[in-house]
Amino acid sequence: MSRMLDMLRKLLLLILLVWMAACEPLAPEVTQQVIVITNTPTAISEMPIVTQTAVFANSVPTRPPTTPTNTPLPTATLPPLPSPTVIDCEEPGGSLFESAFQSEITGGTVLYNVYLPPCFFRFGRRYPYVILLHGSGYRYDQWADLGIQEVMDAGIANQILPPMVVIMPDGGDFQENNIFTEGGSYEDIILKELIPDIERSYCVWTDARGRAIGGISRGGFWAYSIGFRNPGLFASIGGHSPWFVPNNAPNTHNPLALAEFAPQIETLRMYLDNSQNDSGGANVVIFSNELSQRGIAHTYTINPTGGHNNEYWSAHLQEYLEFYGRNWPLLVEDLPLCQ
């Protein structure tokens, strides 16, 4: 009888264990992850050299060890290091305002927004800058609507973003209609009129190390078209849900074609992103694959949520700005003087 009771208890215990395993409330849920594609250099000359000393437990030294003689080192008297100069600024944030220049190409005025870091005119320093192009159907105030002033102010205050100037021009019909006329294109407006106007009007860097260009949607198309055709003018390019279409531009200007043959683009830092639901994402994948086939390093992020809209771009605005400013000084005192 006791044997039967013991067998019954074991059977009940086994049923209880199976039930608990099936109903485990703490089992982890599967979540989507951000996909990041970053090419790494494969050339031997670009690989880091790692030196390692092997230690074997049973190794026998070739000669008996000697007892080291402790010789006191001479005491050196070093001059005191200069204290770093810290520049204080009482302004709580930067400034965002509208500006303009007269364009011979458009025959009118080209408007643009400018973000200047706190105390820009007081410090007398030369700042790096990024040109950000808006998407189709938007104007130059799109970036302001996304919250660029608030993100820049917080990023600079917390030393997440470098003090940099942000230029946001209006594309008008030249950007919207994909005008590629030699000497009268949107590229010419940016390179021959906007950049010279910015570098005359503000104390900013005047070489590729201190310039970046990027854009949203059609603005991302133009950023890569201009950057790939003029790689020596920029340090980095970004495309945020860039609108790459096979037949909307000649191969001499289309990023999908330029990714296959444009020379010297490997000198550029490149960033691409879109949501996995973006209707233009398939062409961005093609673009990324073309760069990968050439062994050209770039970062391509596919975010699991979002659409092709301001809500998505606003959610990732700080990531974009961190990319552009990654290699620029975080402290004003580390920037060169205007003179």
Side-chain angles (χ1 to χ4, degrees):
M1 182 68 178
S2 61
R3 183 177 180 183
M4 291 181 64
L5 289 175
D6 185 54
M7 291 178 64
L8 182 60
R9 282 195 297 267
K10 290 181 178 179
L11 179 60
L12 290 174
L13 179 60
L14 178 61
I15 294 173
L16 179 61
L17 290 173
V18 172
W19 177 81
M20 290 177 65
C23 301
E24 172 55 51
L26 299 179
E29 297 181 359
V30 178
T31 57
Q32 291 176 306
Q33 300 294 321
V34 174
I35 301 172
V36 180
I37 303 172
T38 305
N39 288 2
T40 54
T42 56
I44 295 177
S45 61
E46 297 177 359
M47 298 295 289
I49 298 174
V50 179
T51 58
Q52 182 176 351
T53 302
V55 179
F56 300 96
N58 298 322
S59 60
V60 179
T62 57
R63 57 185 179 182
T66 58
T67 303
T69 303
N70 293 327
T71 304
L73 296 174
T75 302
T77 303
L78 300 176
L81 295 174
S83 301
T85 302
V86 178
I87 301 177
D88 294 323
C89 175
E90 298 80 15
E91 294 179 7
S95 55
L96 180 68
F97 58 91
E98 182 184 273
S99 188
F101 64 87
Q102 290 299 122
S103 169
E104 294 184 3
I105 295 173
T106 68
T109 301
V110 174
L111 299 172
Y112 61 92
N113 272 340
V114 184
Y115 171 84
L116 298 179
C119 299
F120 175 85
F121 292 105
R122 205 193 82 184
F123 288 153
R125 300 284 170 153
R126 195 169 293 281
Y127 289 71
Y129 71 99
V130 55
I131 299 170
L132 296 179
L133 310 178
H134 60 79
S136 178
Y138 295 92
R139 296 192 66 204
Y140 63 100
D141 53 1
Q142 181 183 21
W143 290 95
D145 293 341
L146 297 180
I148 196 162
Q149 181 170 13
E150 294 79 8
V151 174
M152 283 297 306
D153 285 348
I156 292 173
N158 295 316
Q159 294 187 10
I160 297 172
L161 297 175
M164 59 186 182
V165 173
V166 184
I167 307 296
M168 297 151 278
D170 190 61
D173 292 339
F174 282 75
Q175 176 182 352
E176 190 74 14
N177 297 330
N178 291 354
I179 296 176
F180 306 107
T181 305
E182 187 68 29
S185 68
Y186 188 47
E187 174 182 316
D188 292 314
I189 295 173
I190 297 295
L191 300 186
K192 297 179 180 180
E193 295 185 327
L194 175 65
I195 289 180
D197 183 74
I198 295 302
E199 296 183 357
R200 282 193 305 265
S201 303
Y202 304 97
C203 184
V204 293
W205 288 5
T206 57
D207 58 46
R209 293 173 303 166
R211 290 194 208 104
I213 189 168
I216 290 171
S217 191
R218 189 178 298 247
F221 159 85
W222 276 106
Y224 269 95
S225 176
I226 294 171
F228 273 13
R229 285 168 49 81
N230 305 274
L233 295 182
F234 302 99
S236 56
I237 309 176
H240 316 300
S241 311
W243 196 251
F244 296 151
V245 182
N247 299 317
N248 73 334
N251 287 344
T252 54
H253 292 75
N254 194 326
L256 285 172
L258 292 169
E260 296 184 14
F261 64 80
Q264 300 178 351
I265 60 175
E266 65 277 359
T267 62
L268 295 162
R269 286 195 310 115
M270 304 178 204
Y271 182 87
L272 302 149
D273 77 281
N274 56 262
S275 74
Q276 67 177 4
N277 299 319
D278 195 304
S279 59
N283 285 330
V284 185
V285 171
I286 293 172
F287 178 85
S288 174
N289 288 340
E290 290 171 348
L291 294 176
S292 296
Q293 288 174 4
R294 294 180 61 182
I296 296 176
H298 64 287
T299 298
Y300 177 28
T301 301
I302 302 176
N303 290 297
T305 59
H308 195 90
N309 51 42
N310 276 352
E311 183 179 4
Y312 168 79
W313 299 314
S314 179
H316 298 280
L317 181 56
Q318 180 172 310
E319 300 164 29
Y320 304 159
L321 295 172
E322 286 180 5
F323 162 75
Y324 295 117
R326 186 163 300 146
N327 295 334
W328 293 337
L330 283 173
L331 302 177
V332 174
E333 49 265 34
D334 293 331
L335 294 173
L337 294 171
C338 283
Q339 288 77 17

